Amino acid sequence: MNEEREDRAVYIISVAAELAGMHPQTLRIYERKGLVRPARTSGNTRRYSDRDIERLRMIQQLTQEEGINLAGVRMIVELERQIEQMRAEVERMHRDLARARQARRRADAASHEVGLVPMRSLEEMFPWMRER
Amino acid sequence: MNEEREDRAVYIISVAAELAGMHPQTLRIYERKGLVRPARTSGNTRRYSDRDIERLRMIQQLTQEEGINLAGVRMIVELERQIEQMRAEVERMHRDLARARQARRRADAASHEVGLVPMRSLEEMFPWMRER
DNA sequence: TTGCTCCTCACGTCACGTGAGGTGGC
DNA sequence: TTGCTCCTCACGTCACGTGAGGTGGC
């Protein structure tokens, strides 16, 4: 399912409630508390997207199975957003580090090719130093 | 305050409750729910450390000011532990990356010193490329 | 007209904090 | 003996979900 499709607001409240396994009135309460923000038609009728449904299911998991109230759900959603962001940051830095190390290796290899004395690390020159 | 001092179990329940601004009975409830684990004396009396007090204050913040219930507090404490761990990971990688880049610079400089053809980055050879 | 939507209000249930009440060891 | 601790039980309050009841537009 692509992003455009996930964000398309297609379900009226009764369908969304059925998909999420909830009472329609519960969905209205969640909107008032700012937990879900469905789109509205020109006639002021709510329209839910697949992303909204996914969010509703997450809320249901937290409230029903974990017994967490809505104030808790709100903060947990925010914290998980932060965690997701940091996970991406770690991922990015892993790539940067790998790239930096590869650049180093290429530079050393290039030195060899033009017949120069390679820059070696202490460990390369004195292998026995590795143990400590 | 050092770590050893933070973990020393010194306060009886009435003092801990006063320091945290709570009812002693509330502290017993929190222990039963697994939110705080004070030490016990040989006579089975609870003894709270400064770290325990800190935790109690955090719980109070979440329940009273944010209106979060104990199930929510439990998960939030866990998520914040994860975030702290990831923050340390990012910190560590930052250092690794800085170290890798410095090693690269040192290697280049050393090539210069022994009169070899230096391995230069594109930016070093064509400074005007920096602007983009 | 039918079946949906919109809204507000009220009730039942449950979590949680407070307090009482009774016990026992420094 | 006094003042603490330990525990359990009960009550008041509040959050939340469900449902009813009345309205209006496709």
Side-chain angles (χ1 to χ4, degrees), chain A residues 13-14 25 28 32 44-46:
Chain A
I13 195 167
S14 56
Q25 192 61 15
R28 298 194 181 99
R32 184 181 309 183
N44 203 34
T45 297
R46 280 169 261 250

Side-chain angles (χ1 to χ4, degrees), chain B residues 26-38 48 51-52 55-56 59-60 62-63 68-78:
Chain B
T26 305
L27 270 60
R28 297 193 182 99
I29 292 174
Y30 286 178
E31 183 178 6
R32 183 181 309 182
K33 301 238 174 179
L35 290 170
V36 184
R37 303 180 188 282
Y48 292 81
R51 195 182 299 276
D52 290 330
R55 196 180 183 87
L56 287 171
I59 294 172
Q60 191 181 46
L62 291 173
T63 55
I68 296 168
N69 66 2
L70 301 185
V73 169
R74 186 196 301 273
M75 180 165 288
I76 287 164
V77 165
E78 167 59 20

Side-chain angles (χ1 to χ4, degrees), chain A residues 28-63:
Chain A
R28 298 194 181 99
I29 292 173
Y30 286 178
E31 182 178 6
R32 184 181 309 183
K33 301 236 174 180
L35 291 171
V36 185
R37 304 179 187 284
R40 295 272 184 158
T41 65
S42 57
N44 203 34
T45 297
R46 280 169 261 250
R47 283 292 168 81
Y48 292 81
S49 68
D50 279 302
R51 195 182 299 276
D52 291 330
I53 304 296
E54 200 50 47
R55 197 181 183 84
L56 287 171
R57 291 217 182 94
M58 181 189 172
I59 294 171
Q60 191 181 45
Q61 163 96 10
L62 292 173
T63 55

Side-chain angles (χ1 to χ4, degrees), chain B residues 6 8 15 28 30 56 59 64 76 84-85 87 108 110 112 115 129:
Chain B
E6 268 191 346
R8 195 175 281 173
V15 175
R28 297 193 182 99
Y30 286 178
L56 287 171
I59 294 172
Q64 292 198 351
I76 287 164
E84 196 42 55
Q85 196 173 314
R87 204 187 306 282
D108 290 348
H112 281 287
M129 284 184 67

Side-chain angles (χ1 to χ4, degrees), chain A residues 14-25:
Chain A
S14 56
V15 175
E18 191 182 338
L19 289 174
M22 294 175 170
H23 193 288
Q25 192 61 15

Side-chain angles (χ1 to χ4, degrees), chain B residues 13-14 25 28 32 40 44-46:
Chain B
I13 195 167
S14 57
Q25 192 61 14
R28 297 193 182 99
R32 183 181 309 182
R40 296 271 185 159
N44 202 34
T45 297
R46 279 168 263 250

